[in-house]
């Protein structure tokens, strides 16, 4: 089978991922093997490939928004059948016993492992996942359109929870990439008034198309005080801009696994019980809650398709802000060759 393997991180234009031929992996008793149909390309993959995020193992196959069909099921796996379509998301395993796992906060488990970081991910024709960490998906529909829900969608779902967004809240979104385009649809479904700050004129237009009440540049202030804000841009300056825009008691949720830094800011910005919170990973419940909402709303994803062989181009396009919506590897053509 073909797999895009990271041996040495480097700038995306240097094509750090190498397409290799590997033997098809077999599942352990607690695992399933999945023939990948599509895998989203996330900013976290870019940060890993470029070396902004330290590698947990090397070589590694990135990719943590995989949609595919179960090909083999380990003897101890229950509730997953061969032939079923499933999603494989960022969280690959947790200990199941610690204070976080037993309190519904498995996203904070200190022994968690992550798809495409600790274990090989979906930039390949096959992947192995723990049977209790795959998510059932509808058998019909475009696997490429489903893929961005598994990370961008699920983390967006968690951001709304962390920011304590309620029906009718005035919500600010800072940055408007793939995850934000899903968040705005969920927020509008809740009846929120959404204000979007982003540097990109194309993203501002897209935000208006998706029902934003107001759009502006990343240095502009929304015309009203916000109840909550979510920052997506991987820049600490944006976090401070968001803090300036929330009302007393408001919450800023930072959706970033890596930030350059947060610049020094006057304490007055945090005073009046404003809260600054990070959003770390997702739980399986987040993924499943998001997938339920995706059917209910229904959520629309905008995707740009790349064959597996062009994964490095997808990363460059993402790095340079050229992807409209989400970049997704489409393996429906190549996977049939198998082997
Ligand atoms: Zn991701
Ligand atoms: Zn745990």
């Amino acid at each position: 089978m073909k797999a895009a393997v990271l041996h040495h991180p480097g700038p995306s234009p240097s094509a750090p991922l190498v397409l290799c031929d590997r033997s098809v992996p077999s599942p352990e008793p607690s695992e399933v093997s999945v023939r990948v149909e599509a895998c989203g390309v996330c900013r976290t993959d870019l940060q890993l490939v470029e070396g902004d995020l330290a590698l947990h193992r090397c070589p590694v196959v990135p990719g943590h928004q995989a949609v595919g069909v179960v090909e083999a099921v380990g003897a101890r796996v229950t509730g997953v059948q061969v032939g079923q379509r499933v999603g494989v998301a960022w969280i690959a395993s947790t200990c199941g016993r610690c204070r976080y796992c037993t309190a519904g906060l498995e996203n904070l488990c200190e022994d968690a492992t992550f798809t495409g970081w600790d274990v090989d991910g979906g930039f390949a024709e096959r992947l192995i996942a723990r049977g209790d960490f795959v998510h059932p998906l509808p058998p019909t529909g475009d696997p490429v359109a489903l893929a961005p829900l598994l990370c961008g969608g699920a983390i967006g779902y968690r951001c709304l929870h962390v920011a304590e967004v309620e029906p009718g809240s005035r919500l600010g979104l800072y940055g408007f990439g793939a995850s934000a385009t899903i968040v705005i649809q969920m927020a509008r479904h809740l009846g929120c008034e959404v204000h979007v700050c982003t540097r990109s004129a194309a993203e501002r237009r897209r935000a208006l198309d998706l029902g934003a009440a107001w759009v502006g540049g990343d240095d502009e202030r929304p015309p009203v005080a916000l109840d909550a804000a979510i920052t997506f841009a991987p820049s600490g300056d944006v976090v401070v801009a968001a803090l300036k825009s929330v009302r007393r008691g408001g919450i800023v949720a930072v959706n970033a696994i890596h930030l350059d830094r947060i610049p020094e800011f006057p304490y007055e910005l945090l005073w009046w019980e404003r809260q600054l919170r990070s959003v770390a990973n997702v739980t399986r419940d987040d993924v499943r809650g998001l997938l339920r909402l995706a059917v209910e709303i229904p959520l629309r994803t905008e995707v740009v398709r790349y064959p597996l062989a062009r994964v490095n181009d997808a990363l460059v396009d993402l790095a340079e802000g050229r992807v409209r919506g989400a970049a997704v590897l489409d393996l429906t053509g190549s996977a049939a060759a198998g082997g």
Side-chain angles (χ1 to χ4, degrees), residues 104-123:
L105 291 167
E106 66 179 4
N107 59 310
L108 305 183
C109 176
E110 292 183 31
D111 294 319
T113 64
F114 300 98
T115 310
W117 199 13
D118 300 285
V119 299
D120 284 336
F123 292 180

Side-chain angles (χ1 to χ4, degrees), residues 94-102 105-106 108-112:
T94 54
C95 80
R97 294 179 303 273
C98 71
R99 62 183 295 176
Y100 303 113
C101 284
T102 53
L105 291 167
E106 66 179 4
L108 305 183
C109 176
E110 292 183 31
D111 294 319

Side-chain angles (χ1 to χ4, degrees), residues 12-31:
S12 47
S14 71
L17 291 174
V18 180
L19 210 61
C20 299
D21 270 309
R22 285 187 160 187
S23 54
V24 174
S26 316
E28 298 290 325
S30 62
E31 296 173 334

Side-chain angles (χ1 to χ4, degrees), residues 2-339:
K2 294 267 187 290
V5 184
L6 179 66
H7 295 279
H8 307 287
S12 47
S14 71
L17 291 174
V18 180
L19 210 61
C20 299
D21 270 309
R22 285 187 160 187
S23 54
V24 174
S26 316
E28 298 290 325
S30 62
E31 296 173 334
V32 299
S33 143
V34 177
R35 174 172 55 79
V36 179
E37 297 176 291
C39 188
V41 182
C42 172
R43 188 158 289 279
T44 302
D45 299 314
L46 178 65
Q47 291 176 334
L48 195 70
V49 164
E50 294 204 318
D52 288 331
L53 207 58
L55 295 186
H56 279 183
R57 52 170 276 206
C58 192
V60 68
V61 177
H64 56 270
Q65 309 181 76
V67 174
V69 176
V70 175
E71 269 194 335
V73 176
R76 289 210 307 272
V77 175
T78 54
V80 184
Q81 274 85 44
V82 170
Q84 188 178 0
R85 179 181 274 168
V86 294
V88 180
W90 175 233
I91 196 150
S93 73
T94 54
C95 80
R97 294 179 303 273
C98 71
R99 62 183 295 176
Y100 303 113
C101 284
T102 53
L105 291 167
E106 66 179 4
N107 59 310
L108 305 183
C109 176
E110 292 183 31
D111 294 319
T113 64
F114 300 98
T115 310
W117 199 13
D118 300 285
V119 299
D120 284 336
F123 292 180
E125 289 175 338
R126 305 285 191 291
L127 67 74
I128 296 290
R130 231 174 80 172
D132 50 349
F133 277 77
V134 299
H135 304 282
L137 291 175
T140 55
D142 180 3
V144 174
L146 288 170
L149 298 175
L150 290 165
C151 181
I155 194 102
Y157 180 89
R158 185 163 193 87
C159 286
L160 288 170
H161 170 74
V162 168
E164 298 180 14
V165 172
E166 295 173 341
S169 290
R170 286 173 163 167
L171 173 67
L173 303 179
Y174 285 76
F176 202 71
S179 187
T181 63
I182 299 173
V183 168
I184 192 172
Q185 294 175 63
M186 290 189 275
R188 296 281 298 129
H189 184 68
L190 278 174
C192 296
E193 181 181 305
V194 183
H195 299 261
V196 174
C197 295
T198 172
R199 206 163 27 182
S200 154
E203 289 183 353
R204 289 198 291 273
R205 280 194 299 277
R206 202 180 315 152
L208 286 173
D209 289 345
L210 287 168
W214 174 91
V215 294
D218 57 353
D219 51 351
E220 286 183 74
R221 281 274 274 282
V224 295
L226 303 171
D227 299 308
I230 302 170
T231 71
F232 298 93
S235 146
D237 292 326
V238 166
V239 173
V240 177
L243 259 184
K244 285 180 184 164
S245 302
V246 296
R247 61 163 172 80
R248 295 178 178 193
I251 298 174
V252 174
V254 180
N255 175 8
I257 191 167
H258 167 82
L259 268 193
D260 48 357
R261 81 215 185 292
I262 297 182
E264 189 177 310
F265 60 87
Y267 174 62
E268 287 69 25
L269 291 183
L270 198 58
W271 171 235
W272 294 115
E273 300 193 351
R274 292 184 180 90
Q275 296 179 57
L276 187 54
R277 303 182 66 180
S278 62
V279 181
N281 312 321
V282 289
T283 65
R284 280 170 284 177
D285 283 347
D286 292 326
V287 179
R288 287 165 194 177
L290 178 276
L291 291 172
R292 269 195 305 275
L293 258 188
V295 174
E296 185 185 315
I297 293 179
L299 290 176
R300 288 183 297 128
T301 55
E302 203 171 347
V303 294
V304 180
R305 294 161 196 265
Y306 298 84
L308 179 60
R310 288 192 57 225
V311 60
N312 286 301
D313 295 337
L315 291 167
V316 171
D317 289 348
L318 190 63
E320 295 181 0
R322 281 200 296 262
V323 181
R324 188 185 155 92
V328 180
L329 302 178
D330 181 350
L331 288 93
T332 50
S334 65

